[in-house]
Amino acid sequence: MAEAFFTMVENQGGIIVREVPKFDLDLYIQNYKGRTRFDRLYLIGRSSVPLCVDALKAAVAEAKRGRDLHRYREAVECLRLAGPDEPEATFDQDWMDAIDASNKAEFVRLTNELKGYKNNLIKESIRMGHEDLGKHLESIGELTGAAEAYTKMRPDVSTPKQVVDVGKHLVRVSLQRREWGLVSAHLSKMGGGQSPEDEKTLQPYTRIVQGIASLGLERFQEAAMSFLQANSDVASSHYNEIASPNDVAVYGGLLALASMDREALQEKVLDNASFRAFLEGEPHIRRAVTQFVNGRYSQCIATLEEYRTDYMLDIYLQKHIPKIYAEIRSKCIVQYLIPFSRVKLDSMQAAFGRPDKPVEDELVQMIKAGTLKARINTIDRLVTVVSPNPRLKMQTEALEAAQNYEKQAIDRLRRMGIAAADLEFKGRKGGAGGNIIGAGQGFQNDLIYDESMA
């Protein structure tokens, strides 16, 4: 039954991970609070063959602690296919009926309260009424309605804390809906007005959320910088409804490896005192970065490959891992070849080869993409690095400088000629118009608007 379930998931475009991850499921999920707990358990249940049943059972239990019937149905349906003999694989109809009735009654109550607040024209009560309604709609999975309710809070906010609360509500909903552009927009409206202490507390939340949004848009370098700037002195309880400190270390380390050179990695990752505290929870990330900086590229790749399974079960990293790992491998290969004029293909295979794909095919793809400047000699099995011609580079730069100088000189001569012929267009003081002084209609294309007289 489980194999049929994973075949169905794969046909739906899901990613299947058959290896056993290194993390313990119970300890892993304890790092989070809020709706992200179900999201993570449900993803692991649909993706991990070894943890499928345990994760789906935990997802069912997590759903029953909330009020979202849609999530409960999804988890039970998956468990019925993956583990039909489990007690949790049967719908609890009595519980569902009770929660459904309770949700409808609560919605009616909150709506009526909000109408009363609007009739009384009390701004604070109206704000709280929209907030309560938004929280209820979010808890039952009506994310569109929740976003609308939270947005209606904005006209009635009166303190910096309330502005931040509105922003957090909207960011949380946008993250669940994977609307990465809206996440950044909501974050931009949260800043300003807070006390230094409040800004310090809010800083890691905004940096982590911005990093996740940039990751979703595949802006890896921007995302890496956001995670690397997160303040590790703030307790994780301020942001663990989004991510854990371990996630920050993994996201920041992997994206930095994919987007930064060795000098930047040393400065912004290894020498970063604040980010070093995050790395203590994920020592293998620090080890991989250190290996890359020290030129041990094959060891760096091997270290990351040991944890690929774990990263393929992360809700934000999963679909980006192939691209992130490919970019890290490409950087390692390019850096490996820099000291040499030519390298044997056998040496490259020993350092970077994979059982499923010869390194030669990977080198061909990199050369075609322009990532690697080299030639492959298949007869002698050599990779010859194409070094840039310094003389040609110098001549090209000199030619460009001469062309720029010539263009600037012509522009200045034209300007001097126009000024000498008294053909400038000068704006009148205090007015929007201007006068053309002098004749010469044949030179109208060269007239210049001079703001200095305005």
Side-chain angles (χ1 to χ4, degrees):
M1 292 295 291
E3 195 59 38
F5 167 69
F6 285 111
T7 301
M8 180 199 71
V9 172
E10 201 165 18
N11 291 337
Q12 293 175 352
I15 297 174
I16 308 302
V17 181
R18 302 189 181 277
E19 296 79 12
V20 179
K22 293 183 178 294
F23 62 79
D24 179 87
L25 184 63
D26 294 333
L27 295 177
Y28 168 78
I29 206 61
Q30 287 176 10
N31 293 322
Y32 307 96
K33 67 179 180 182
R35 288 173 64 85
T36 192
R37 287 171 58 91
F38 177 88
D39 291 334
R40 292 174 182 273
L41 289 169
Y42 185 67
L43 178 77
I44 294 171
R46 285 176 57 88
S47 301
S48 175
V49 175
L51 297 180
C52 171
V53 174
D54 290 339
L56 288 175
K57 288 169 64 176
V60 171
E62 185 67 28
K64 291 193 73 173
R65 282 194 284 269
R67 310 174 66 88
D68 192 337
L69 291 178
H70 178 67
R71 285 186 162 191
Y72 175 73
R73 291 191 188 97
E74 283 186 331
V76 173
E77 284 290 351
C78 289
L79 188 57
R80 289 175 66 180
L81 295 172
D85 298 331
E86 299 293 334
E88 294 86 352
T90 304
F91 285 109
D92 188 343
Q93 195 61 47
D94 293 338
W95 177 84
M96 293 175 66
D97 293 340
I99 290 296
D100 187 41
S102 174
N103 288 344
K104 291 178 180 177
E106 182 69 3
F107 177 76
V108 172
R109 183 184 73 81
L110 292 172
T111 304
N112 290 334
E113 282 187 357
L114 182 57
K115 288 180 181 178
Y117 296 149
K118 289 181 177 180
N119 291 334
N120 294 332
L121 300 178
I122 303 175
K123 292 186 65 174
E124 179 63 14
S125 298
I126 294 173
R127 183 191 67 81
M128 293 178 63
H130 283 304
E131 184 175 31
D132 292 340
L133 180 60
K135 286 181 177 178
H136 172 69
L137 291 172
E138 183 183 359
S139 69
I140 66 175
E142 296 290 342
L143 299 181
T144 302
E148 293 176 358
Y150 290 143
T151 302
K152 291 177 181 178
M153 293 173 61
R154 285 201 187 279
D156 301 307
V157 298
S158 56
T159 65
K161 182 181 183 305
Q162 291 173 2
V163 173
V164 170
D165 290 342
V166 173
K168 282 187 174 182
H169 293 324
L170 290 168
V171 162
R172 189 172 59 247
V173 172
S174 298
L175 282 175
Q176 294 177 68
R177 299 173 70 182
R178 300 298 187 262
E179 296 173 334
W180 309 120
L182 285 179
V183 171
S184 300
H186 295 317
L187 280 176
S188 66
K189 299 177 182 178
M190 290 172 57
Q194 292 91 16
S195 65
E197 186 63 30
D198 290 339
E199 286 186 359
K200 179 181 177 182
T201 303
L202 184 63
Q203 193 268 356
Y205 177 89
T206 57
R207 292 294 83 209
I208 292 168
V209 171
Q210 183 60 63
I212 291 173
S214 298
L215 171 61
L217 296 171
E218 294 191 347
R219 299 172 182 170
F220 293 155
Q221 187 164 14
E222 292 180 23
M225 291 303 302
S226 294
F227 290 120
L228 295 175
Q229 292 168 2
N231 187 353
S232 60
D233 295 334
V234 179
S236 63
S237 57
H238 292 284
Y239 54 82
N240 63 358
E241 64 179 356
I242 307 296
S244 69
N246 300 70
D247 293 334
V248 177
V250 171
Y251 299 164
L254 285 180
L255 295 171
L257 277 170
S259 60
M260 296 182 181
D261 57 26
R262 295 165 65 185
E263 291 76 12
L265 285 171
Q266 181 67 49
E267 177 188 353
K268 300 182 183 300
V269 180
L270 298 180
D271 294 340
N272 185 337
S274 181
F275 193 71
R276 194 182 304 132
F278 289 116
L279 288 175
E280 290 177 359
E282 298 289 336
H284 61 280
I285 291 291
R286 180 182 178 86
R287 186 166 63 251
V289 175
T290 303
Q291 289 166 343
F292 184 91
V293 170
N294 292 337
R296 301 200 296 270
Y297 305 113
S298 58
Q299 296 177 26
C300 171
I301 293 175
T303 300
L304 295 178
E305 287 293 341
E306 290 180 13
Y307 289 84
R308 179 192 280 260
T309 300
D310 292 25
Y311 305 150
M312 291 295 291
L313 299 176
D314 183 271
I315 58 174
Y316 298 121
L317 277 179
Q318 186 183 72
K319 73 173 187 176
H320 301 292
I321 282 296
K323 184 173 182 179
I324 291 172
Y325 270 52
E327 292 194 10
I328 294 174
R329 280 184 62 86
S330 297
K331 283 180 61 181
C332 288
I333 291 173
V334 171
Q335 291 291 322
Y336 178 86
L337 289 171
I338 285 176
F340 308 104
S341 60
R342 62 183 62 186
V343 179
K344 292 183 178 180
L345 272 174
D346 295 338
S347 300
M348 295 290 296
Q349 181 67 32
F352 300 103
R354 292 183 292 187
D356 59 326
K357 185 177 182 181
V359 72
E360 186 175 348
D361 296 342
E362 192 169 359
L363 292 173
V364 170
Q365 292 177 0
M366 290 175 62
I367 293 171
K368 287 181 177 179
T371 308
L372 178 64
K373 304 296 183 182
R375 294 191 299 268
I376 300 177
N377 184 338
T378 55
I379 298 175
D380 298 329
R381 294 192 58 78
L382 291 174
V383 179
T384 304
V385 179
V386 179
S387 302
N389 188 332
R391 182 173 181 175
L392 177 61
K393 182 180 178 182
M394 181 194 68
Q395 291 175 342
T396 303
E397 291 176 351
L399 182 60
E400 290 178 355
Q403 290 172 343
N404 290 334
Y405 180 81
E406 182 182 7
K407 181 178 181 300
Q408 292 175 7
I410 292 173
D411 290 341
R412 289 172 181 172
L413 289 172
R414 181 184 295 115
R415 177 72 177 84
M416 292 169 60
I418 291 172
D422 201 19
L423 295 175
E424 293 176 290
F425 185 68
K426 300 178 181 180
R428 292 196 297 255
K429 287 187 177 180
N435 293 322
I436 299 177
I437 303 176
Q441 297 297 319
F443 298 94
Q444 287 183 0
N445 290 335
D446 288 331
L447 294 180
I448 293 179
Y449 179 71
D450 189 355
E451 291 287 347
S452 62
M453 300 298 294

